[in-house]
Amino acid sequence: MKKILAVGVAALYALGVANSSFATEDTPVVAQYNVEAAYSVTIPSQITFSKANTSVDVEVGITDVLIAENEAIKVSMSSANGNLINGTSYIPYSFTLNSTEVTIAANTDYHILSAPSQNPEGITKNITFTAGSLDHVTISGLHADTLTFRVAL
């Protein structure tokens, strides 16, 4: 049985070699390399305010951009609460981007920056977050909000 199988495989191999050896037509072959999209996005890991430091500067950036032509990477940000909260106690806060101060509202997407395909070195923006008045603070302790940064291609 092994001999029959070996002879069969050898015959198939010979037919394959013979077929390609006697080809009389031009056979076009496509050479290709698929380059995957790549980029790096830098966002702050934490924004911490204090009595002595009610404004915090952070940097958001897109670098090492390698994406398809006519596409862009977009970074947006949204807030879960719109305020730094602790129960019913809260502190409003805002951010300044491109010289425009924006009061943060819950569940609102804010466009932060975009990097187009023809910008391989990327782009970086500075954002200043500012804690507002303490008029609505009724209890001590940590007041927090969750900011979500979204990256879309």
Side-chain angles (χ1 to χ4, degrees), residues 27-93:
T27 306
V29 176
V30 176
Q32 58 188 18
Y33 190 123
N34 184 22
V35 178
E36 298 291 326
Y39 51 87
S40 296
V41 177
T42 304
I43 60 172
S45 61
Q46 188 171 346
I47 300 166
T48 303
F49 301 106
S50 67
K51 189 174 184 177
N53 191 21
T54 59
S55 289
V56 177
D57 292 324
V58 299
E59 188 174 274
V60 175
I62 303 170
T63 56
D64 304 322
V65 178
L66 181 62
I67 57 177
E69 189 173 12
N70 299 322
E71 286 191 348
I73 302 165
K74 299 171 186 81
V75 177
S76 62
M77 177 190 74
S78 66
S79 161
N81 302 308
N83 292 298
L84 305 167
I85 63 169
N86 183 344
T88 58
S89 178
Y90 68 93
I91 303 168
Y93 69 119

Side-chain angles (χ1 to χ4, degrees), residues 76-153:
S76 62
M77 177 190 74
S78 66
S79 161
N81 302 308
N83 292 298
L84 305 167
I85 63 169
N86 183 344
T88 58
S89 178
Y90 68 93
I91 303 168
Y93 69 119
S94 61
F95 69 93
T96 302
L97 177 66
N98 298 330
S99 302
T100 302
E101 185 174 3
V102 179
T103 300
I104 297 174
N107 301 312
T108 301
D109 263 354
Y110 300 101
H111 176 75
I112 302 300
L113 67 124
S114 296
S117 59
Q118 301 301 316
N119 191 358
E121 64 278 355
I123 188 168
T124 300
K125 296 269 181 141
N126 290 318
I127 305 172
T128 301
F129 287 88
T130 304
S133 166
L134 301 180
D135 292 347
H136 302 284
V137 173
T138 57
I139 59 175
S140 65
L142 181 65
H143 290 64
D145 185 21
T146 299
L147 294 173
T148 301
F149 286 85
R150 288 183 181 79
V151 178
L153 182 62

